[in-house]
Amino acid sequence: MTADNSEARGPAVRGFFDPATATWTYVVWGEGDNSCAVIDSVLDYDPAAGRTSTASADKVISFVESRGLRVEWVLETHIHADHLTAAQYIKKKTGGKTAISKHILDVLKTWEPIFHNAADAPPNPFPMNGSQFDHLFEDGEAFKIGALDARIIHTPGHTPADTSYIIGSSVFVGDSMFLPDVGAGRCDFPGGSAEDSYDSTRKLLALPDETRMYVGHDYPEGKNRRPQCMATVAEQKQANIRAGVNIQKSAFVAQRRDADRGKPVPELLLPSLQVNLRAGDVGNFIRIPVNRI
Ligand SMILES: [Fe+2]
């Protein structure tokens, strides 16, 4: 499926692809309903200039406004390491509650010593209790987007806080799985686990075969296709190159460790973590800890 399609049944979905970070942002709503959720938004960032831009987020906001939708939730699948979230900007412009898994508390603990969040009294600290988000989801928590039923499942591995959102007949998996010809997210960040990642892919593949799985990134380079965002669970089971249903855990883990060995750090890792741990509050400064990672 490409960015321009929406679905005839189940939730309606509009995807927005950011080529700079290969990120998919989604607007999800129930047909005939005007409440929506925005999942994994992008705040554009030029690291050389230390300058943000809201061009990507404004496209999402324009779409929401053009459809007469009301943003009820601004959701994150995890603390991203490759792009800044526009959650605060979108919330300011459209309203809605920001939310993420409660396992962000573990991620905060991991990164606090590196960013010296409290000890150095930086200009823009991140609260350690997660209060920068309006809501922290419990594992398995059910919630509503208008009349749509939604539920979260904890799908750690890429990071300890990865969450997938089951919304109607679709699931939004962030980096827990990618499209069949790409595989699944890296597991070499602090707190990442290839074993957990495999177990999470089994949870996702246990969903009904017809479930539409929307991924957090796509990397079509060298695959002779344009960026796409969705495959069904049945397609993932049959064809996912790293995590198909016939791939054993030991093979998945070995291949994951091999692929992650020596993998470059994402260009926006340090700015992304700081801003995303503040739920998208850019503040006035982004710090670069030296020789810490
Ligand atoms: Fe990620």
Side-chain angles (χ1 to χ4, degrees):
M1 165 184 163
T2 63
D4 298 324
N5 294 343
S6 66
E7 300 300 335
R9 64 185 177 86
V13 179
R14 172 65 191 255
F16 297 82
F17 187 69
D18 171 41
T21 64
T23 302
W24 280 103
T25 296
Y26 297 104
V27 177
V28 188
W29 70 103
E31 296 282 12
D33 196 356
N34 70 349
S35 294
C36 73
V38 176
I39 302 177
D40 288 344
S41 59
V42 172
L43 185 69
D44 308 302
Y45 183 63
D46 174 351
R51 181 162 290 280
T52 61
S53 149
T54 58
S56 293
D58 286 336
K59 282 186 205 160
V60 175
I61 293 168
S62 294
F63 174 79
V64 164
E65 288 174 346
S66 72
R67 290 294 183 105
L69 297 171
R70 184 178 65 83
V71 176
E72 195 169 346
W73 293 97
V74 184
L75 303 173
E76 302 292 329
T77 55
H78 62 294
I79 295 293
H80 310 282
D82 53 17
H83 70 273
L84 281 62
T85 175
Q88 287 304 319
Y89 175 73
I90 288 179
K91 177 185 168 182
K92 201 169 100 191
K93 290 285 182 182
T94 67
K97 284 194 284 192
T98 58
I100 195 167
S101 159
K102 68 172 182 182
H103 295 282
I104 185 191
L105 300 179
D106 297 330
V107 182
L108 285 161
K109 276 188 215 139
T110 298
W111 289 98
E112 192 280 332
I114 293 167
F115 290 119
H116 290 288
N117 184 49
D120 264 3
N124 305 113
F126 40 79
M128 293 299 290
N129 63 2
S131 61
Q132 56 273 53
F133 288 87
D134 296 320
H135 185 71
L136 298 184
F137 286 114
E138 295 291 326
D139 294 349
E141 183 173 337
F143 65 107
K144 288 272 195 183
I145 304 167
L148 270 178
D149 286 320
R151 178 167 64 86
I152 79 152
I153 40 176
H154 185 211
T155 49
H158 170 60
T159 78
D162 277 61
T163 293
S164 296
Y165 295 96
I166 300 174
I167 302 174
S169 58
S170 298
V171 62
F172 297 82
V173 300
D175 300 4
S176 301
M177 284 185 84
F178 293 139
L179 290 180
D181 61 350
V182 179
R186 64 195 291 177
C187 296
D188 56 334
F189 296 137
S193 159
E195 287 88 353
D196 288 353
S197 175
Y198 181 81
D199 294 342
S200 293
T201 65
R202 300 310 97 170
K203 287 186 198 172
L204 294 170
L205 296 184
L207 294 170
D209 274 355
E210 63 276 15
T211 306
R212 296 180 193 84
M213 188 185 291
Y214 290 90
V215 298
H217 295 283
D218 192 30
Y219 304 100
E221 296 77 17
K223 301 185 193 309
N224 199 26
R225 64 170 177 80
R226 293 172 52 196
Q228 296 183 343
C229 62
M230 190 278 285
T232 64
V233 164
E235 290 165 344
Q236 291 281 26
K237 276 181 175 172
Q238 200 215 332
N240 191 291
I241 56 168
R242 291 198 191 281
V245 76
N246 293 321
I247 294 175
Q248 300 301 307
K249 187 169 188 172
S250 56
F252 175 94
V253 169
Q255 196 182 38
R256 184 73 266 160
R257 293 204 174 125
D258 201 39
D260 287 348
R261 201 166 293 120
K263 206 166 197 173
V265 169
E267 186 190 2
L268 297 182
L269 176 84
L270 294 168
S272 297
L273 283 165
Q274 283 170 86
V275 169
N276 297 343
L277 287 168
R278 297 195 294 250
D281 180 0
V282 176
N284 298 317
F285 293 91
I286 287 171
R287 316 170 91 212
I288 303 298
V290 176
N291 296 331
R292 292 304 309 274
I293 61 168

